[in-house]
Amino acid sequence: MDSFASRIDAIKAAHLYRKLRTLSTPQGREVVIDGQRVLLFSSNSYLGLNTNEHICRKAIRAVEEFGVGSGGSRLVTGNMAPHMRLEAAVAEFKGSEAALAFTSGYTANVGVISSLCHKDTVIFSDALNHASIIDGCRLARGLTAVYAHNDMDDLLQRIRHLRPRQGFIVTDSVFSMDGDIARLPDLASIARTYGLTLVVDDAHATGVLGATGRGSLQHFGLSHDDVPVVTGTLSKAVPSEGGFVCGSSSLCDLIRNTARSFIFTTAPSPSTAATASAGLEYIAAHPELVARLQGNVAYFVEKLGRIGMNIQGQSPIIPIMVGDEEKAARAAEALLALGVFAPCIRYPTVPKGMARLRLTVMAAHTREDLDYAATCLEKALAAV
């Protein structure tokens, strides 16, 4: 036990220690955290649908009809009507031929990438891809070549050097810690030219990008011919849990039969699947929510610019770079004391020396909320 304590002491000395904070209210623009009422600027619930009455009623009805557990993996006894309805809803929302639901976005990426690749495969992976993509690449049997973040010249150099017989380009669409957007039209063009398959994780783009929130393909005017494999989560703008892959029927059939993270995992509860379906349907029927979110993002970025913070981005993820881990932790505490919750992000989530405050904008935020958060952020940074 002493070795455990000494490791914790080392983490604390490096200003990398984390602790759980407890919310005692539902997630909305304002919450109570550890007894303190604050404005929430760290949630991935971009559209603020966690307490939506219509979606909650759908979840309750699913519990009443199907109970609270799935009782097995999808391929044994756990496949229920809500799971099938969810996959149809994902495919319709994403405009794909088919979809396959997973228990999380993490298991989707790990399962899809490790299933598609074999020993002669080369995976070209963006340097800032999510941990689930990185772990999927590690589990795959092929070679992984990491290219500099959003750097098409570096990617091309690596492709030309390796000249793979079969290869994949894998990227986030919206990068979770930096908030910038992948250059998907360029990636699609490169993939076509060199006979590679483009795989895009739309976790932070679903319900966020595009005129009606369909994600990065809609944002760029691309099709599933350009991006044959799209993964994502059902736990951010969509207010539930789970993940998915969508594309052709043959793709989904292959993943269903080969992905260990699908085959050997108990299916999501039927109420979770029903909640996700209701969330997708609600977003599709209310594009004004997506427009409100996008308007809030533009307003907040402009507001920060007025106080000297040069933020470039179109996503709700707003990183405020601090660098030093101790300073970032103190800035987050100062911000919390002013009534705004946006915790600092440190190693190993980001590289050492690149600690930051990661703010996220929600459709539920008012302009007054955004003004107040900007003012408090300026004060908190000045205090450290």
Side-chain angles (χ1 to χ4, degrees):
M1 291 298 293
D2 289 343
S3 64
F4 300 155
S6 64
R7 288 180 63 185
I8 288 294
D9 289 341
I11 291 171
K12 289 180 177 178
H15 306 288
L16 300 176
Y17 182 72
R18 295 163 169 81
K19 61 181 180 180
L20 293 174
R21 297 185 184 273
T22 303
L23 279 73
S24 53
T25 56
Q27 287 203 20
R29 51 173 286 278
E30 190 177 66
V31 295
V32 174
I33 298 179
D34 295 338
Q36 179 184 357
R37 185 167 293 277
V38 296
L39 286 175
L40 184 62
F41 271 83
S42 60
S43 176
N44 292 331
S45 178
Y46 299 120
L47 297 179
L49 294 176
N50 296 68
T51 57
N52 178 270
E53 184 178 355
H54 172 78
I55 297 171
C56 288
R57 282 203 307 268
K58 293 279 190 177
I60 292 168
R61 288 172 188 167
V63 171
E64 292 171 343
E65 184 176 358
F66 294 98
V68 293
S70 61
S73 65
R74 294 280 304 280
L75 291 174
V76 184
T77 61
N79 191 48
M80 305 174 78
H83 300 111
M84 302 305 291
R85 287 197 285 265
L86 172 59
E87 290 175 350
V90 170
E92 181 177 356
F93 189 83
K94 286 293 190 178
S96 63
E97 187 177 35
L100 182 67
F102 283 77
T103 55
S104 70
Y106 189 99
T107 57
N109 278 337
V110 167
V112 168
I113 295 169
S114 61
S115 292
L116 294 180
C117 301
H118 52 73
K119 64 181 180 63
D120 296 322
T121 301
V122 178
I123 307 170
F124 298 94
S125 178
D126 190 286
L128 294 188
N129 276 340
H130 188 263
S132 58
I133 294 176
I134 295 170
D135 289 352
C137 293
R138 288 172 176 166
L139 288 172
R141 290 166 289 175
L143 171 68
T144 298
V146 178
Y147 63 92
H149 175 54
N150 250 346
D151 188 330
M152 300 301 103
D153 290 335
D154 188 52
L155 172 60
L156 283 168
Q157 183 178 348
R158 294 175 187 278
I159 292 172
R160 290 165 181 163
H161 173 70
L162 292 170
R163 298 184 180 277
R165 283 183 291 175
Q166 182 182 18
F168 295 84
I169 301 173
V170 186
T171 184
D172 284 316
S173 54
V174 175
F175 291 88
S176 61
M177 291 298 120
D178 290 72
D180 56 340
I181 302 174
R183 296 165 58 180
L184 293 192
D186 293 336
L187 291 172
S189 176
I190 291 170
R192 281 194 301 271
T193 300
Y194 291 91
L196 306 174
T197 300
L198 181 56
V199 181
V200 172
D201 179 5
D202 236 12
H204 292 274
T206 301
V208 172
L209 295 186
T212 59
R214 261 53 174 196
S216 60
L217 274 64
Q218 185 183 59
H219 177 77
F220 285 111
L222 300 174
S223 72
H224 285 275
D225 291 332
D226 302 306
V227 186
V229 185
V230 176
T231 64
T233 61
L234 298 163
S235 58
K236 295 179 172 55
V238 181
S240 186
E241 300 166 8
F244 64 84
V245 60
C246 59
S248 67
S249 295
S250 58
L251 166 73
C252 294
D253 202 19
L254 175 65
I255 300 301
R256 186 183 298 110
N257 281 275
T258 58
R260 291 171 64 84
S261 62
F262 176 84
I263 296 169
F264 298 106
T265 301
T266 297
S269 69
S271 59
T272 295
T275 303
S277 296
L280 289 167
E281 292 161 2
Y282 193 88
I283 295 169
H286 294 84
E288 71 277 4
L289 269 180
V290 178
R292 187 183 309 160
L293 172 65
Q294 293 171 355
N296 277 354
V297 170
Y299 180 87
F300 194 54
V301 167
E302 182 183 5
K303 182 72 177 182
L304 293 177
R306 291 178 190 168
I307 60 175
M309 299 182 189
N310 183 26
I311 305 296
Q312 302 292 328
Q314 300 171 279
S315 85
I317 301 167
I318 311 291
I320 307 298
M321 302 302 296
V322 179
D324 180 77
E325 284 79 13
E326 182 181 8
K327 286 184 178 180
R330 285 195 280 115
E333 289 301 320
L335 191 60
L336 181 61
L338 293 168
V340 177
F341 183 64
C344 70
I345 304 297
R346 295 162 284 179
Y347 178 83
T349 307
V350 296
K352 289 181 179 178
M354 295 189 69
R356 66 200 66 182
L357 302 182
R358 177 187 181 270
L359 281 76
T360 55
V361 177
M362 301 167 66
H365 286 137
T366 66
R367 295 297 165 93
E368 290 77 17
D369 294 339
L370 300 171
D371 290 341
Y372 185 74
T375 299
C376 292
L377 183 60
E378 186 177 26
K379 291 178 180 178
L381 293 171
V384 297

